[in-house]
Amino acid sequence: DTDTPYTAFVAGIGSGKTYAGCVRALNASLGRIGNRTIPTPNLGVITAPTYPMLRDATLRTFQDVAQPYIKSLNRSGMVITMNNGSEILLRTADNPDRLRGPNVSWWYGDEAAMYGNDVWRIMIGRLRQFGQRGSAWLTTTPRGRNWIYQLFVNDDDNYELVRAASSDNVYLDRAIIDAWET
């Protein structure tokens, strides 16, 4: 985990990106980002490109990771309430203007290369809960030199790019990797 305010984990399928993003979201909801303590209860946002992706992948992974810490999931409002009172808004990025409004401590964007770069600008503007700059992290499969590449491949200490190959996931059966490579 990193203390860098903005992080992108760009890696191949099956590399554990969503899992890593969800672990970081859980830690943030509990008051820890990297080595930094943040106030709790806090408000965070998890986004995915579409509702089916949010429901079928990101939310399922978060529930697997965080189950003992989840107090409730309101599916109609798409809000998770944690045992410590922190809340997580589950939203899609398919209509970026709907992301405007809340003051949040953190944001996790899954499969972010499928977002328009306006999502980044809107969400960075939300990172202001408690009058403090919040943190954002993205996970995504590579999609060329898009807006994520342009933003994260620089010498700015506020941005960190982490890369991995599918084969770097030691928990993935080697037969799966071999099948992908044929």
Side-chain angles (χ1 to χ4, degrees), residues 1-160:
D1 206 0
T2 178
D3 292 328
T4 306
Y6 311 126
T7 307
F9 181 23
V10 179
I13 61 171
S15 60
K17 300 178 300 291
T18 301
Y19 185 87
C22 287
V23 167
R24 191 158 201 216
L26 169 61
N27 287 336
S29 74
L30 298 176
R32 172 92 45 214
I33 296 178
N35 292 315
R36 233 171 8 101
T37 301
I38 63 172
T40 57
N42 61 52
L43 180 62
V45 178
I46 296 175
T47 59
T50 65
Y51 179 73
M53 293 176 83
L54 180 65
R55 178 195 62 217
D56 299 343
T58 317
L59 175 57
R60 285 178 186 264
T61 302
F62 185 78
Q63 287 179 295
D64 289 345
V65 167
Q67 193 56 53
Y69 303 95
I70 296 173
K71 180 178 181 180
S72 64
L73 166 59
N74 176 329
R75 286 194 178 269
S76 64
M78 293 302 283
V79 177
I80 296 173
T81 303
M82 305 300 284
N83 290 332
N84 70 350
S86 290
E87 291 182 317
I88 302 168
L89 305 176
L90 304 165
R91 300 294 183 257
T92 65
D94 53 359
N95 186 342
D97 282 331
R98 290 185 185 158
L99 297 170
R100 296 183 189 277
N103 298 326
V104 302
S105 289
W106 57 269
W107 166 49
Y108 163 43
D110 194 22
E111 288 301 346
M114 296 177 72
Y115 303 173
N117 65 351
D118 51 340
V119 172
W120 175 262
R121 286 191 304 273
I122 290 167
M123 290 308 298
I124 293 306
R126 312 282 65 84
L127 298 173
R128 59 183 187 248
Q129 189 176 26
F130 310 115
Q132 300 174 3
R133 175 176 71 174
S135 295
W137 55 97
L138 308 173
T139 58
T140 193
T141 49
R143 290 193 179 263
R145 295 185 179 212
N146 60 13
W147 67 270
I148 295 172
Y149 178 85
Q150 299 299 323
L151 194 61
F152 282 88
V153 177
N154 62 52
D155 291 329
D156 188 329
D157 290 338
N158 291 308
Y159 295 83
E160 182 175 358

